[in-house]
Amino acid sequence: MSIFPKISLRPEVENYLKEGFMNKEIVTALGKQEAERKFETLLKHLSHPPSFTTVRVNTHLASVQHVKNLLLDELQKQFNGLSVPILQHPDLQDVLLIPVIGPRKNIKRQQCEAIVGAQCGNAVLRGAHVYAPGIVSASKFMKAGDVISVYSDIKGKCKKGAKEFDGTKVFLGNGISELSRKEIFSGLPELKGMGIRMTEPVYLSPSFDSVLPRYLFLQNLPSALVSHVLNPQPGEKILDLCAAPGGKTTHIAALMHDQGEVIALDKIFNKVEKIKQNALLLGLNSIRAFCFDGTKAVKLDMVEDTEGEPPFLPESFDRILLDAPCSGMGQRPNMACTWSLKEVASYQPLQRKLFTAAVQLLKPEGVLVYSTCTITLAENEEQVAWALTKFPCLQLQPQEPQIGGEGMRGAGLSCEQLKQLQRFDPSAVPLPDTDMDSLREARREDMLRLANKDSIGFFIAKFVKCKST
């Protein structure tokens, strides 16, 4: 059920999205009323978390069953003996699913309050505790050890250090303060530790802060699916064109049994360092990460030898993943997006530059997978239609496993082409109301169906290159 307001967007952004979701093809197929209902449902669902926490097991270091047993012990500790099931995904064998309990409606609100920023609030709804930098405001007499009600300032209107806040705020649950108000707002820039330990969140999810870090990678279900769709094979040379923070890079290496070469590019130095750290932590040696702009990854000058470093010669890679920079409008939970229409619409040209580089770098008969974590037609199906026109050498391919729904109408793609895409639509199923009783009674197949449907908004397209460019 819906307990939060729908995602707050600038009017021009909401209108832009509405035009995409109520385009002529969709209205003709569904009718105006049903198309509008689906769009409003989508906006409501975006502000709520998915119904499962998804973790990917690092199969390079441990078996799925071993990690599942360790995780069951961890959940028992975190949930004070509550027996929450962990499901292994039948189609993605290295993925474990943990049901989210909530929304919990009978939590008593406390007099002492803390206000956190919207990003921090989103993390709390997915199992995180509150760290000191995320606290924007706290009640006047808040001391360490106090039971605190935590609220999210979804519109970013609360002043840092305020003693009270009467603006738009959303209740996230209760926790115990680890610091006093005075300590939180002392002005010390290095204050980075835990500020509030969440004890009664509205949505109960496990915290993965320092939990089995070598064995687990916290990843949304569609993000874990992408590497399986790419289907890398041992001994191949793979390119992850926009790789940070390295979740898919490390997954690709694990699926190849760490045999072959995985090149990871990102143009932000700190993010590249994070990829290297993750590869080291997970024990993966086949990954080489470079700080490099993916749009410039094709070597135009054949004379200079870069010895395996970017830029690369055309047709150098067996498979390429382009998990493109995008507007991120599919992320959940997301109660407010302050972006302008110009910002939301700015990604399509960049995605096309990256796509062009990817096609040039792909070997004949090579596989290219394009993915985004957004819901816009312009960044998803329109990009597929553009690519198929622009690059006659590309053919759309069926995907395996097929877990998401088919693509969205509106970009002029045929019914057959739409069926070859995977679009994860957060409005596909009603928001669940999950408690321990309903979990005990739930059938495994119903839970798996819910996990597949109630995820973040996401898009995947798979191409094969038929002949040399």
Side-chain angles (χ1 to χ4, degrees):
M1 64 171 290
S2 173
I3 61 160
F4 301 138
K6 73 178 188 180
I7 182 173
S8 171
L9 302 165
R10 289 191 184 187
E12 70 267 23
V13 172
E14 187 166 329
N15 289 336
Y16 167 74
L17 288 176
K18 191 170 185 176
E19 282 172 18
F21 280 83
M22 293 192 65
N23 67 67
K24 194 175 175 183
E25 283 186 57
I26 288 178
V27 171
T28 302
L30 300 181
K32 188 177 177 185
Q33 201 172 348
E34 176 60 12
E36 192 151 12
R37 185 200 65 78
K38 272 184 72 79
F39 177 65
E40 287 301 320
T41 301
L42 173 69
L43 297 186
K44 278 184 196 162
H45 289 201
L46 285 173
S47 64
H48 294 70
S51 54
F52 284 78
T53 300
T54 310
V55 291
R56 174 174 60 77
V57 175
N58 177 21
T59 50
H60 180 59
L61 290 185
S63 73
V64 175
Q65 189 57 52
H66 176 63
V67 175
K68 184 179 176 181
N69 292 339
L70 294 174
L71 194 51
L72 279 166
D73 291 343
E74 174 64 29
L75 293 193
Q76 285 270 317
K77 287 181 210 157
Q78 285 196 30
F79 293 166
N80 299 318
L82 276 183
S83 187
V84 175
I86 298 175
L87 306 178
Q88 183 177 4
H89 198 288
D91 300 314
L92 309 171
Q93 294 282 308
D94 53 359
V95 167
L96 297 174
L97 304 163
I98 304 152
V100 173
I101 311 293
R104 304 194 295 169
K105 302 173 212 66
N106 301 320
I107 300 170
K108 187 184 174 187
R109 303 194 186 198
Q110 304 296 310
Q111 213 169 353
C112 200
E113 294 182 0
I115 308 294
V116 301
Q119 289 299 105
C120 176
N122 294 342
V124 168
L125 289 173
R126 297 208 71 175
H129 296 292
V130 177
Y131 286 80
I135 301 172
V136 182
S137 146
S139 294
K140 190 174 180 180
F141 301 109
M142 188 175 99
K143 305 183 302 296
D146 285 353
V147 179
I148 310 287
S149 280
V150 179
Y151 295 83
S152 178
D153 169 26
I154 61 171
K155 297 199 172 173
K157 301 291 186 187
C158 183
K159 287 184 180 169
K160 185 83 173 176
K163 290 169 185 168
E164 54 184 44
F165 177 60
D166 295 322
T168 306
K169 58 187 181 183
V170 172
F171 180 58
L172 304 174
N174 295 336
I176 295 170
S177 178
E178 300 278 315
L179 300 164
S180 68
R181 174 190 161 82
K182 189 176 178 182
E183 287 171 310
I184 292 166
F185 300 114
S186 63
L188 294 173
E190 65 270 19
L191 194 66
K192 288 177 182 169
M194 193 178 292
I196 301 165
R197 184 175 295 278
M198 296 301 295
T199 52
E200 291 182 289
V202 169
Y203 281 94
L204 181 62
S205 299
S207 166
F208 281 93
D209 187 28
S210 302
V211 172
L212 306 173
R214 300 194 72 213
Y215 293 157
L216 289 179
F217 206 98
L218 197 56
Q219 210 168 17
N220 288 299
L221 181 65
S223 299
L225 170 63
V226 166
S227 301
H228 284 279
V229 170
L230 186 67
N231 194 26
Q233 300 299 310
E236 289 184 333
K237 188 174 182 180
I238 314 283
L239 175 63
D240 189 350
L241 199 52
C242 303
K248 297 178 186 72
T249 310
T250 54
H251 195 187
I252 290 166
L255 289 173
M256 295 165 68
H257 310 296
D258 206 25
Q259 295 168 23
E261 191 176 9
V262 184
I263 303 289
L265 303 186
D266 203 276
K267 64 179 185 179
I268 298 170
F269 177 79
N270 291 346
K271 290 185 175 182
V272 175
E273 292 304 299
K274 183 69 178 168
I275 296 169
K276 290 177 180 176
Q277 287 167 19
N278 280 329
L280 194 64
L281 180 69
L282 299 173
L284 296 162
N285 300 311
S286 58
I287 295 167
R288 297 171 68 217
F290 300 98
C291 186
F292 202 83
D293 181 349
T295 63
K296 298 171 183 170
V298 185
K299 187 192 285 189
L300 301 171
D301 179 5
M302 299 292 183
V303 179
E304 188 187 346
D305 185 13
T306 48
E307 294 182 5
E309 296 187 4
F312 303 103
L313 289 172
E315 302 186 346
S316 291
F317 294 92
D318 297 293
R319 296 173 203 260
I320 297 177
L321 172 62
L322 173 51
D323 185 47
C326 69
S327 59
M329 299 294 292
Q331 292 292 1
R332 295 173 65 196
N334 187 4
M335 294 193 199
C337 176
T338 57
W339 282 17
S340 67
L341 178 56
K342 186 179 178 183
E343 287 171 304
V344 171
S346 67
Y347 285 92
Q348 195 188 61
L350 171 60
Q351 290 160 353
R352 290 185 177 183
K353 283 182 184 173
L354 288 162
F355 200 102
T356 301
V359 174
Q360 290 175 293
L361 289 167
L362 190 64
K363 290 178 182 178
E365 300 183 3
V367 170
L368 167 59
V369 170
Y370 172 82
S371 62
T372 74
C373 59
T374 195
I375 55 174
T376 70
L377 192 67
E379 296 171 82
N380 295 327
E381 289 83 358
E382 281 186 15
Q383 298 293 52
V384 171
W386 165 81
L388 292 172
T389 304
K390 174 85 174 170
F391 304 104
C393 61
L394 291 184
Q395 276 187 358
L396 208 52
Q397 291 289 293
Q399 298 178 37
E400 188 61 40
Q402 181 85 28
I403 290 170
E406 62 183 45
M408 190 165 84
R409 295 179 179 93
L413 296 170
S414 70
C415 290
E416 197 54 46
Q417 288 171 324
L418 293 176
K419 284 175 185 169
Q420 292 179 312
L421 306 174
Q422 294 201 69
R423 177 182 267 265
F424 288 81
D425 173 8
S427 70
V429 288
L431 289 171
D433 202 342
T434 306
D435 58 23
M436 288 308 296
D437 289 339
S438 66
L439 267 187
R440 276 189 282 269
E441 293 165 12
R443 297 188 312 165
R444 178 183 160 83
E445 54 266 38
D446 292 338
M447 292 170 77
L448 290 168
R449 180 181 172 275
L450 182 60
N452 287 343
K453 299 285 185 189
D454 188 25
S455 73
I456 64 166
F458 206 88
F459 178 83
I460 310 172
K462 181 179 183 179
F463 304 86
V464 69
K465 186 176 181 179
C466 298
K467 57 182 183 289
S468 176
T469 50

